[in-house]
Amino acid sequence: MAPKVRLNDPSLLVGKNFINGEWIESISGKRFDVIDPATGELVGSCPESTAQDTEDAITSAAAALPEWRSRTGRDRSRILRRWYDLVMKNQQDLATLISWENGKAKADASGEVIFASSFLEWFSEEAARIYGDVIPHSAPGFRAAVVKEPVGVCGLITPWNFPAAMVTRKLGPALAAGCTVVVKTAGEPPFTANALAVLGERSGIPKGVINIVTALDNTAEIGETFCKSNTVRKISFTGSTRVGKLLMQQSSSTLKKLSLELGGNAPFIVFNDAHIDLALQGAIDIYPEFIRRLKESVSNFKVGHRLDAQTTHGPLVTQSAAERVNSLIQDALQNGAKVEAGGKRLHDLGPNFFAPTILTNLKPDMRIVNEEIFGPVAPIFRFETEDGVVNFANKCEVGLASYIYTQDVTRAASVSRVIRLWHGCAKHGSNV
Ligand SMILES: NC(=O)c1ccc[n+]([C@@H]2O[C@H](COP(=O)([O-])OP(=O)(O)OC[C@H]3O[C@@H](n4cnc5c(N)ncnc54)[C@H](O)[C@@H]3O)[C@@H](O)[C@H]2O)c1
């Protein structure tokens, strides 16, 4: 273990699998290195888990299920509340771990811990309110009881970009409902999830309720084990569309429930009545002003290392992620796009850093429009009519969420109804 990650509570740094309440190595005995994406330094190492490790974790979750599901909602609520308290108490250490293994600026990482803890708080409240119902029955003199039951053992697969929040967002509701889980964290940042599990154990979560397997290269093997298992009744996955499709195919033989939150880009629509600031009210063409102001905002970003207090934006998670963003930008430039800001990798800082980028002069058939960017790039288009912008946004096959800026409530409502989100989550933000 590299000695540089200093935590107030060093016992939160665990590089092992968590199965049946024990921190153990993979059966393979293999481990993978976790690298700080900002500096390339070694953070530590974790087990490269196999299908057999995953089976063991599923068996452990299945064994813990009868006891956990039979507890009262109130009891599970109290435990989740204690967990929330402990996460907030250890905010600093969790933020340190996030920024080491994911590269986020410290302030961002601290914010993520608050966000992550909010799911534990929220679902501690929900756990206490899981009621059934008694409803009229068609047969005279009878009434039907509606009883809420947990789904069972759940497989949770999380991405690298929110190492704490994506984990608690899945764990909070699953545990509140009385399910037990096996978590497969993203390979690049596995330590934060382990630290959360340590705190969960201290909150009183019984052994076997949470199990964690880590892996960098064997992810496909672990995913397939989840999908083919009859014991795993549900998979909750956040990640790329490619892997989401694969999980759906692989789960067909066991007819599992799947929650897939997938990748994409988000149309961000600014109408000419949007409130950029009061001085601009009534302006007919806001495009040049919007670009100028956006450039001004972006120039205040400080890309850098997490320990620099001025840093607002950290690196991408891997060199290949930076290369992919660069190739999308190069393709756009070769086809006539214009760089208004950034547009390049920041090699001086390290191989994973990318300058916040604004692009104009784009065409709808460019790769950067049709493939998920997942990097600090804002491609800007000008539009003339409401129908035109809606048609354009709906052609984007990777639509994930959308944002609409206007002061016209009716327009906000009507546009948000016709914008289609292709897959992943159905989110619309509108600023009226
Ligand atoms: N919809 C959202 O709110 C949201 C939030 C966060 C991330 N994402 C998406 O996640 C993606 C970025 O995350 P990523 O690069 O970690 O995505 P990814 O799909 O490569 O990996 C996500 C997780 O799946 C695992 N995985 C990879 N191949 C697998 C397989 N064959 N079977 C089972 N598991 C497998 C990975 O190890 C990781 O834990 C982007 O596409 C992004 O848009 C979406």
Side-chain angles (χ1 to χ4, degrees), residues 230-246:
N230 276 313
T231 307
V232 174
R233 294 316 310 144
K234 167 156 188 156
I235 294 176
S236 173
F237 169 80
T238 300
S240 63
T241 306
R242 181 187 67 79
V243 175
K245 285 181 180 170
L246 184 67

Side-chain angles (χ1 to χ4, degrees), residues 157-162 166 169 184-187 215 219-220 223-224 237-243 246-247 261-264 372 374 400 424-425 427:
I157 306 177
T158 55
W160 56 267
N161 58 338
F162 284 95
M166 290 294 147
R169 190 159 74 168
K184 208 307 271 159
T185 54
T219 50
E224 198 175 356
F237 169 80
T238 300
S240 63
T241 306
R242 181 187 67 79
V243 175
L246 184 67
L247 295 174
E261 187 186 33
L262 307 178
E372 182 182 26
F374 216 56
L400 173 63
C425 48
K427 278 187 232 154

Side-chain angles (χ1 to χ4, degrees), residues 1-160:
M1 186 72 62
K4 289 197 172 170
V5 187
R6 293 249 162 75
L7 301 179
N8 298 320
D9 178 353
S11 65
L12 292 181
L13 186 65
V14 193
K16 293 200 173 157
N17 282 343
F18 189 46
I19 299 179
N20 198 24
E22 307 281 338
W23 292 98
I24 57 173
E25 292 295 337
S26 157
I27 286 160
S28 72
K30 291 192 184 137
R31 298 178 68 80
F32 65 90
D33 287 342
V34 179
I35 304 295
D36 175 347
T39 60
E41 285 174 298
L42 185 70
V43 180
S45 68
C46 277
E48 186 66 65
S49 306
T50 61
Q52 185 57 55
D53 296 310
T54 313
E55 293 282 6
D56 291 350
I58 293 170
T59 303
S60 155
L65 183 64
E67 199 271 335
W68 183 243
R69 72 185 295 166
S70 66
R71 292 199 183 202
T72 61
R74 174 69 62 193
D75 192 16
R76 291 197 294 266
S77 166
R78 271 192 290 265
I79 293 175
L80 283 169
R81 176 71 209 195
R82 276 202 293 274
W83 198 10
Y84 161 76
D85 289 338
L86 278 181
V87 168
M88 285 311 295
K89 209 164 145 196
N90 290 275
Q91 181 183 5
Q92 206 184 338
D93 276 350
L94 290 166
T96 302
L97 276 177
I98 293 173
S99 62
W100 266 92
E101 61 178 358
N102 164 290
K104 274 188 195 183
K106 199 67 188 287
D108 234 9
S110 290
E112 182 183 338
V113 177
I114 296 173
F115 182 45
S117 73
S118 72
F119 295 111
L120 303 180
E121 186 184 38
W122 174 9
F123 285 97
S124 76
E125 291 156 7
E126 295 297 328
R129 293 193 199 97
I130 302 177
Y131 308 125
D133 209 345
V134 177
I135 56 172
H137 194 280
S138 51
F142 283 85
R143 282 194 287 174
V146 179
V147 180
K148 297 204 172 163
E149 296 284 351
V151 173
V153 174
C154 300
L156 314 179
I157 306 177
T158 55
W160 56 267

